[in-house]
Amino acid sequence: KAGVTQTPRYLIKTRGQQVTLSCSPISGHRSVSWYQQTPGQGLQFLFEYFSETQRNKGNFPGRFSGRQFSNSRSEMNVSTLELGDSALYLCASSLGGSSLNEQFFGPGTRLTVL
Amino acid sequence: QKEVEQDPGPLSVPEGAIVSLNCTYSNSAFQYFMWYRQYSRKGPELLMYTYSSGNKEDGRFTAQVDKSSKYISLFIRDSQPSDSATYLCAMSEAGANSKLTFGKGITLSVRP
């Protein structure tokens, strides 16, 4: 079974630009979560989508947004990029049922903001 | 105070050593406790998953949860160079839509 895939793997942008990252979950998984990983703050939860609906949200500004499509693929968008947005963005998929399910992570997208 | 605190490391041990990794937490609502391993340029992979207090063993790995002390540990026996990675503890409250809260991670290096 194919794992979680994320595209692109690397991205370089400048301040003020916007960026869209993509995540394809494991087949059959309906929940997709996004995390930001930085050396200073570690892994921080951004948001979770389940059946095209945002089910949970972390403490990030409104510049960070996401969506999920009917095939469970998800995108996250960051608008008006700041230097501090440079990070590894990880997506994780799970079955998303009635109890906590194991989350499988993708390799991440490394975003550099210049 | 962060919800989850993890020893910052890094940690370097000789091959064959017993490794002890620890996390403390402040949120008494946490019910699920996990350890992830992350190799360089890869996403985290789940190593151990424990519900509530107790011990769980899987091969060379043992996870312990002490909810009364708000303390969790991961023990690695007979450590191998292939265990060299960053180890992250993660926790979650009950409920299907509960997010994972991670420790910052500790980088372990096992010297041959």
Side-chain angles (χ1 to χ4, degrees), chain A residues 17-21 34-38 44-49 54 56-67 74-90 109 111 113:
Chain A
Q17 288 188 308
Q18 76 165 22
V19 67
T20 300
L21 313 181
W34 288 89
Y35 295 83
Q36 181 195 67
Q37 187 174 30
T38 60
Q44 293 185 288
F45 174 77
L46 281 155
F47 29 65
E48 185 228 359
Y49 286 86
Q54 187 179 87
N56 205 350
K57 189 176 187 305
N59 297 323
F60 278 80
R63 299 186 297 107
F64 292 82
S65 63
R67 58 178 176 168
S74 177
E75 288 181 348
M76 71 162 274
N77 184 77
V78 188
S79 62
T80 320
L81 283 166
E82 300 177 0
L83 295 178
D85 297 333
S86 294
L88 180 67
Y89 290 88
L90 291 157
T109 294
L111 171 65
V113 182

Side-chain angles (χ1 to χ4, degrees), chain A residues 1 26 42 46 107-108:
Chain A
K1 188 185 263 191
I26 291 170
L46 281 155

Side-chain angles (χ1 to χ4, degrees), chain A residues 9-10 35 37 39-43 45 48 55-56 88 90 96-103 105-107, chain B residues 2 32 34 36 38 41-46 49 86 88 92-93 95-104:
Chain A
R9 292 292 311 278
Y10 302 92
Y35 295 83
Q37 187 174 30
Q41 298 298 320
L43 261 156
F45 174 77
E48 185 228 359
R55 196 162 64 166
N56 205 350
L88 180 67
L90 291 157
S98 58
S99 59
L100 186 72
N101 301 122
E102 178 180 353
Q103 294 194 18
F105 282 83
Chain B
K2 290 184 74 75
Y32 297 92
M34 288 140 277
Y36 281 82
Q38 186 174 21
R41 302 183 187 282
K42 302 274 191 182
E45 60 174 328
L46 184 66
Y49 172 17
T86 296
L88 304 120
S92 176
E93 298 180 20
N97 60 346
S98 289
K99 63 179 183 178
L100 292 180
T101 301
F102 283 85
K104 277 197 179 179

